[in-house]
Amino acid sequence: MSAKITTPFFSQSLGSYGPAVAWVTFFVGILVSWWALLWMSAEHNTIGNLSPSGLDRSFISSEASLPLGLNADLLLSLCLTATNELTFVGLVAMWSIMSLAMMAPTAVPMLKSYQDILVAGNGKISPRAFWALLGGYLTVWICFSIPAAGLQLLLVTFDLLAVDGTSLSGWLTTGLLALAGIYQFTPIKEACLSKCRSPMAYFMGRWQPGIAGAYRMGLHHGAICVGCCWALMLLGFVGGTMNPLWMFGAMVLMICEKLPDIGRYITRPLGIVLLASALLFLGQTLGVLSLS
């Protein structure tokens, strides 16, 4: 007689709650990333004697702590040396945290579509596959952080950017706005957006089973997302890479642009606005217009 193997009740319960735990952990990670960015921005502006807009720093102290035991001074020291000079490793860390905070929310439709396909196929969700898909997606954005950090350090070296990542050059501002505006009308932008707006169709056409397959699909979809959003992300050099208002506004804009119902009404009008802004800054740079 063969013995009947039963699964402990605790394991069954943990498995049934696995997807919910994964989603809760995902959103908590986003909130912690935003909290870290706000602290880094406020502490950095304090040290740099800058005037942040609309941010109350009266609650900040050098001994204050972030969630999960992170310390504000520790995060700030990633980006600055003792003489307030930027470091490449610190900027990569800052861009990586910023990418997690800004781009992870835009991946929600992709993650939800993947979950729906798994449920339809075998009636259950694998939390490990969920994290593999998200891990592949974020791996690409962390890789994007490396050249972005190098570009920021280079621009700061040539006095084209302030320490907080804000453009000091009218020509740089004009160029970035024009680049982002023109890119909104390009076929590659449209091609990438079409896949971001229809993650279900993307998965049906490129499905790969298993944990490794989920990670590879996350890598590919992350590359598509970078192809869609890289020019908008570089506008951080206009609004300030440590400006939380710019980061939040850009995140909302990129989320809306990827929504199939309203995104198609945003892309080209946004390109027109960006090009018009570039012309205004060009006029100011040439001394023809005054934007003050």
Side-chain angles (χ1 to χ4, degrees):
M1 180 182 296
S2 61
K4 181 180 180 180
I5 300 176
T6 60
T7 304
F9 174 77
F10 178 76
S11 298
Q12 291 178 337
S13 299
L14 186 61
S16 62
Y17 287 110
V21 172
W23 278 107
V24 170
T25 305
F26 169 71
F27 286 114
V28 168
I30 293 173
L31 290 175
V32 171
S33 298
W34 273 102
W35 192 286
L37 286 175
L38 288 172
W39 276 97
M40 292 174 66
S41 172
E43 286 286 309
H44 174 78
N45 288 340
T46 301
I47 290 179
N49 294 321
L50 300 173
S51 299
S53 55
L55 188 61
D56 180 11
R57 299 191 310 274
S58 59
F59 61 93
I60 293 176
S61 67
S62 60
E63 300 299 325
S65 294
L66 290 162
L68 305 182
L70 297 176
N71 184 272
D73 285 343
L74 173 62
L75 290 175
L76 185 62
S77 66
L78 288 174
C79 295
L80 296 173
T81 66
T83 58
N84 288 353
E85 294 178 352
L86 294 171
T87 66
F88 175 70
V89 173
L91 286 175
V92 171
M94 185 271 291
W95 273 92
S96 297
I97 296 174
M98 185 168 66
S99 296
L100 172 60
M102 296 175 63
M103 302 313 302
T106 72
V108 170
M110 174 192 71
L111 296 171
K112 181 62 169 61
S113 296
Y114 182 73
Q115 174 180 285
D116 291 342
I117 291 175
L118 289 182
V119 171
N122 52 31
K124 62 180 180 179
I125 304 167
S126 169
R128 289 185 298 173
F130 176 95
W131 289 116
L133 180 69
L134 180 62
Y137 177 84
L138 294 179
T139 295
V140 177
W141 277 106
I142 291 173
C143 291
F144 169 82
S145 300
I146 297 174
L151 177 60
Q152 181 171 347
L153 193 61
L154 180 66
L155 293 174
V156 169
T157 301
F158 286 97
D159 296 324
L160 296 175
L161 285 182
V163 178
D164 67 338
T166 305
S167 174
L168 298 175
S169 167
W171 292 109
L172 176 63
T173 299
T174 300
L176 289 172
L177 289 169
L179 175 64
I182 293 172
Y183 191 68
Q184 292 294 106
F185 297 93
T186 60
I188 187 171
K189 169 80 176 189
E190 184 60 33
C192 292
L193 267 179
S194 65
K195 292 180 174 58
C196 289
R197 289 171 181 164
S198 304
M200 184 66 73
Y202 166 81
F203 284 126
M204 297 302 291
R206 299 188 62 91
W207 183 259
Q208 298 183 50
I211 306 299
Y215 183 76
R216 287 193 294 269
M217 288 190 294
L219 286 173
H220 188 259
H221 205 279
I224 292 172
C225 186
V226 170
C228 174
C229 301
W230 67 269
L232 294 177
M233 287 292 285
L234 291 184
L235 290 181
F237 296 141
V238 176
T241 55
M242 286 194 174
N243 184 339
L245 296 180
W246 170 81
M247 289 186 282
F248 182 78
M251 179 193 71
V252 172
L253 181 63
M254 287 184 285
I255 290 175
C256 292
E257 192 179 31
K258 291 182 179 182
L259 295 177
D261 293 334
I262 64 175
R264 62 176 59 91
Y265 302 109
I266 294 177
T267 303
R268 292 183 181 275
L270 176 60
I272 294 173
V273 171
L274 291 171
L275 289 174
S277 300
L279 288 175
L280 289 175
F281 275 97
L282 177 61
Q284 183 186 46
T285 302
L286 295 174
V288 178
L289 297 174
S290 176
L291 301 181
S292 58

